[in-house]
Amino acid sequence: LATEAIGTGNAMSALEATAWGEGWHAWESEGGQPFRWMGARASFHFEAWGATRYLGLTVKTPFADLSQPLSTLVADVPGAFDLVHGWNEVSIEVPPGATTADLGVNVLLPVERHPGDGRELGIQVRPPRLHADPAHHARVTGLHAARVLGTRRAREGPAAATARSLPPPVPCGVPIP
C-alpha cells in the first residue's frame, strides 16, 4: 500500500497518514495535479484515533446529471454524496477508532469514453486530507451542499424545462468561431 502524508503542520493537521487501499489505479496528472482513478469500489486505511476526524476528498465525476453519487462506509456508518460535474470537495466524518473508509460509485465511465483503456473507471480522486477541524468540515459540507442544490435547481427549474421544450436550433450556414 502506498502511504500519503496528510496535513501541512497547520491547525487542520491531525498529523496523520493515510494509505491507499484496494481499488485504485496508478497515479496520473491533470492540470499539474496528481490523482488516481478508482473503480467501482476502493478504500483508504489510517491509524485509529481517540477523537473524531474528517477525511477530505477532492473527487471528479464526468457526469453532469447527478447520476453518480459517491457512497461511503466508515466504522459501519454509511454515507452518500451527490456529485456535480467536475471536481467536488467532500468531507467524511471519521468516528473515533475507525481505521478504514470504503468508497463506491454506482456508475462507471462508459468504455466509449476511454477507448483502448480496459480499466474499470469510476471517479478521479486527488490525494486525501485527514484532519480534526470540525469548522473546516462544516464549511466544506455546506459549500458542497450548495453546489448540489444549485445544480439540482438548474436541472429541474423552469428555465431547464423551457430549454427542453424548444425545437433544436436550425443551422444558418454561418460558422461559429
Side-chain angles (χ1 to χ4, degrees):
L1 299 175
T3 300
E4 208 42 52
I6 304 303
T8 58
N10 62 21
M12 277 182 36
S13 175
L15 302 176
E16 288 291 325
T18 195
W20 298 78
E22 301 75 36
W24 300 103
H25 296 292
W27 286 103
E28 297 182 41
S29 179
E30 179 178 275
Q33 296 289 319
F35 73 88
R36 293 176 82 170
W37 280 100
M38 66 175 261
R41 306 228 175 288
S43 63
F44 288 110
H45 304 285
F46 32 81
E47 295 291 323
W49 218 42
T52 298
R53 294 173 296 176
Y54 306 95
L55 182 62
L57 298 177
T58 303
V59 303
K60 182 179 181 180
T61 179
F63 299 100
D65 58 0
L66 300 172
S67 65
Q68 189 187 43
L70 173 65
S71 61
T72 64
L73 184 66
V74 181
D76 295 326
V77 178
F81 297 90
D82 287 328
L83 300 178
V84 302
H85 182 260
W87 289 103
N88 295 256
E89 188 172 351
V90 299
S91 187
I92 304 164
E93 186 170 320
V94 177
T99 59
T100 301
D102 293 316
L103 311 176
V105 293
N106 63 335
V107 179
L108 297 173
L109 188 64
V111 175
E112 309 81 66
R113 300 271 303 268
H114 57 100
D117 183 345
R119 298 177 298 170
E120 178 182 86
L121 301 177
I123 58 175
Q124 293 167 262
V125 181
R126 289 187 177 152
R129 299 159 312 284
L130 189 59
H131 66 87
D133 185 345
H136 182 73
H137 169 73
R139 267 190 311 278
V140 168
T141 300
L143 287 171
H144 183 71
R147 284 189 71 204
V148 169
L149 179 60
T151 299
R152 196 175 308 285
R153 284 182 175 165
R155 294 189 52 75
E156 298 169 358
T162 300
R164 285 191 296 273
S165 69
L166 295 174
V170 177
C172 62
V174 178
I176 298 175

